[in-house]
Amino acid sequence: MKLFASIGQYTLLMQKVFSRPERRSIYYSRIMSEMEALGLNSIGLTAIISVFIGAVVTLQMAITLESPFIPQYMIGYATREVMILEFSSTVVALILAGKVGSNIASEIGTMRITEQIDALEIMGINSASYLILPKIIATVFFFPFLAIFSMLVGIAGGYGIASATGIMNPVDYIDGLMYCFYPDEISYALVKMAFFAFIVTSISSYCGYYAKGTSLAVGKASTQAVVSSSIAIMICNLILTQILRT
Amino acid sequence: MIKAENIIKSFEGRTILNNISTEFGTGQTNLIIGRSGSGKTVLLKSLVGLHEVDSGAIYYDDICFSTLDFRTRKAIRKDVGMIFQGGALLDASTVVENVKLPLDLFTEQSEEEKLERVHYCLKRVNLEHAHHLYPSELSGGMVKRAAIARAIVMNPRYLFCDEPNSGLDPQTSIVIDNLIYDITKEYNITTIINTHDMNSVMEIGEKIVFIHEGNKWWEGTKDDIFHTENRELDDFVFASAMAKRAKIAR
Ligand SMILES: Nc1ncnc2c1ncn2[C@@H]1O[C@H](COP(=O)(O)OP(=O)(O)OP(=O)(O)O)[C@@H](O)[C@H]1O
Ligand SMILES: [Mg+2]
């Protein structure tokens, strides 16, 4: 019951967010600064996580697929598939839900409890659109780049570990990367990522926007944001995979 | 003129405002007084539409504000300025950006014209030297003054102030009271001020509404306030030692 009420409230908020903006020029500069705050500032985290996962996946594959019947290039192939199909979109989105989602929810939540949102409303500004729309546009646009970046870095991490440990021949790794490559897989991952960006940003904004009470509420909102957007990502992942891949 | 007719507001079954009717005149400073927790902020927020009232009507001049839809309300809001109890400046913007925001969104002025207006408003509240500071770098009184500048930048026809001088020293309080009084007269604004400061009452209280536990207990002018038989109002007024002495002197 509560879930349905929340979904209804969320839908109404999104309607408010996507109603006609007051003034485009102001939105433009806000989108730019959100891209920096939410996108550019996540590059470091994405890089670190991707390079390690790429390396670990390669290691795991090398150990698991150690058999004379399986050609070594399969390791490179498997690493590529894991990175492109799931890791750099779904897992990176989950991690960004933790970083960006809690950031958005606490920022908007604080604005709510210190009456900054009321102040915007009194000025006749559509606070939902003014605060949330730039964040949504910025992340939907920027997160797919983070996904591409994550793919590259992860695959490079695999290559790095292959040449550093000699667990496999780096040339085979490269061969594997080229093996059976369909560029569609990348577009599939990017489409997914754009959806996830929307989910994380809109749900986190929703949690912050309706925070009630004192600073305790802000903490609660940001936890709620991470939990809800993670769950929504998993559900959406399943649905999108079903629709886009079959 | 702003008129409230029989407004009732409750939260989760607890009645906060109980059937309040009153009228606030144009070009005059209207004060809402009452003890902490009596419902002043809730009343003010109901008048501007931040709280939806359970029943009753609110009129802005001849327009029945409480029945308007979201879009029409937005149009009226351009004539409304409000100073929140906590200031409510945008944390991520400097003082100048805060004050300039309504101009950016709703006027066609050039950047120079906007800045000129912003500087004029900041000068009126004595904040010439804080232009590029962020709200976190301001003192409590400076936040209040910046909030006043923001509230008046669009030349509002209705001005709502929630305890504009709480937490300020007596000198600054008087400056702010007089500032609000002056702009009210200058631009013929309907001004409503929440306060529990007797100094403000005596300085600028042209019309006073006393709220007690969510009820309108008394209304009148600052001259009547000393001659009332109303027990709760008397307690409120003469809780301040200065006022007590004033009464004895009479
Ligand atoms: N959003 C809300 N939800 C539930 N109760 C509320 C809410 N806002 C205010 N109240 C209750 O309404 C009553 C009046 O609060 P209000 O903030 O109007 O007091 P006030 O007169 O402004 O006091 P102060 O001078 O301390 O600011 C309080 O008892 C408070 O608990
Ligand atoms: Mg109050």
Side-chain angles (χ1 to χ4, degrees), chain B residues 11-12 14 16 34-43 51 85 162-163 194 196:
Chain B
F11 289 109
E12 289 124 25
R14 206 155 62 92
I16 305 295
R35 295 178 59 175
S36 179
S38 55
K40 301 185 296 295
T41 299
V42 175
L43 176 55
H51 291 319
Q85 202 162 354
D162 198 352
E163 313 213 355
N194 271 0
H196 36 55

Side-chain angles (χ1 to χ4, degrees), chain A residues 37-38 41-43 45 94-104 226:
Chain A
L38 303 175
N41 287 344
S42 303
I43 284 185
L45 179 68
L94 285 174
I95 289 159
L96 291 175
K99 179 175 185 284
V100 175
S102 62
N103 172 309
I104 291 176
V226 177

